[in-house]
Amino acid sequence: MKFFIDTANLDQIKEAQEFGILDGVTTNPSLMAKEGITGAENIINHYKTICDIVDGDVSAEVIATDFDGMVREGESLAALNPQIVVKLPMIADGVKACKYFSDKGIKTNMTLVFSAGQALLAAKAGATYMSPFIGRLDDISTDGLGLISEIRLIYDNYGYETQILAASVRHTMHIMDCAKIGADVMTGPLSAIKGLLKHPLTDIGLAQFLADYKKGN
Ligand code: E4P
């Protein structure tokens, strides 16, 4: 299972990279704004910085909502660095643009996926990644993890290679449930990833080992 971090915060990206378990980064316009990164030039520079920090794929979202605009923007984003994955919204022109980029061998991430039908379209358009937002579904009393299971079944039925990127992951249990279902990738906050570390018996056991070592030395 690949681990992506869902942030534009450079300190958190560095910490996750140094932790040694990071496979990539996802960003979106809201995450950029949260870090105070505004204006096309600053956003482009921020993507470049993120690519310098991490080894893996970095999703960069287009702002255009029409096919020509998405192609123009996506091509210039992809030209920044081979790590860039062009992130496209799940709308008709987004699907068309996804097909355009996948035919050219440019990596894509179809975002804002909330149904299995949308996931099927993303796979047919050759998306590299497809991002169902599980936390936002949970927020409206809809089963986000259930959607991941449905998509896993459909993709396995036909051998689609599009990777299921479980997005809008909010906590550690989301990560574990996505792993059990077989999501290819999860993207979430650093706090959810670090939550995987925690077990009181690990802390108690380590404290005991150290105390016993000190007794004999
Ligand atoms: C995915 O690529 C999105 O950036 C993200 O996971 C959205 O998560 P949120 O629902 O916590 O905003």
Side-chain angles (χ1 to χ4, degrees):
M1 186 187 201
K2 290 186 199 169
F3 276 21
F4 289 178
I5 188 170
D6 196 29
T7 185
N9 181 288
L10 297 182
D11 290 336
Q12 289 187 19
I13 293 171
K14 279 181 202 150
E15 188 178 338
Q17 174 68 24
E18 282 162 14
F19 193 24
I21 47 75
L22 191 66
D23 299 296
V25 178
T26 51
T27 61
N28 64 41
S30 307
L31 292 171
M32 285 285 182
K34 194 172 161 198
E35 299 307 317
I37 315 295
T38 54
E41 201 183 323
N42 291 333
I43 290 174
I44 294 289
N45 287 334
H46 207 68
Y47 287 138
K48 288 186 191 161
T49 308
I50 294 173
C51 290
D52 287 342
I53 298 170
V54 304
D55 302 319
D57 285 348
V58 175
S59 285
E61 189 158 340
V62 301
I63 302 302
T65 53
D66 63 296
F67 175 76
D68 291 335
M70 285 190 220
V71 165
R72 247 191 330 270
E73 227 184 298
E75 280 180 338
S76 64
L77 287 169
L80 294 177
N81 190 301
Q83 288 166 259
I84 294 284
V85 176
V86 179
K87 201 171 178 192
L88 301 157
M90 177 41 79
I91 56 177
D93 277 14
V95 173
K96 271 169 71 179
C98 179
K99 174 73 176 135
Y100 171 89
F101 286 119
S102 52
D103 284 349
K104 292 188 91 177
I106 291 174
K107 289 176 284 187
T108 51
N109 175 359
M110 288 302 295
T111 191
L112 292 167
V113 171
F114 292 96
S115 77
Q118 292 176 329
L120 185 54
L121 282 175
K124 288 199 60 71
T128 314
Y129 300 105
M130 174 283 312
S131 298
F133 279 33
I134 60 174
R136 292 193 194 186
L137 283 169
D138 290 356
D139 287 345
I140 56 158
S141 306
T142 303
D143 184 7
L145 291 165
L147 175 61
I148 302 286
S149 302
E150 262 185 273
I151 299 170
R152 181 73 283 157
L153 174 71
I154 292 168
Y155 280 15
D156 289 350
N157 280 347
Y158 298 99
Y160 286 126
E161 284 176 12
T162 297
Q163 296 178 55
I164 301 174
L165 196 176
S168 188
V169 159
R170 298 277 167 79
H171 49 72
T172 307
M173 269 313 287
H174 267 160
I175 301 178
M176 290 316 300
D177 286 332
C178 285
K180 286 184 217 163
I181 294 166
D184 301 287
V185 192
M186 80 81 206
T187 190
L190 184 59
S191 57
I193 296 172
K194 284 165 95 176
L196 294 167
L197 261 181
K198 291 183 195 154
H199 200 290
L201 291 179
T202 303
D203 300 336
I204 293 167
L206 181 60
Q208 184 68 58
F209 285 156
L210 295 178
D212 288 344
Y213 174 81
K214 274 186 198 150
K215 280 183 208 160
N217 289 280

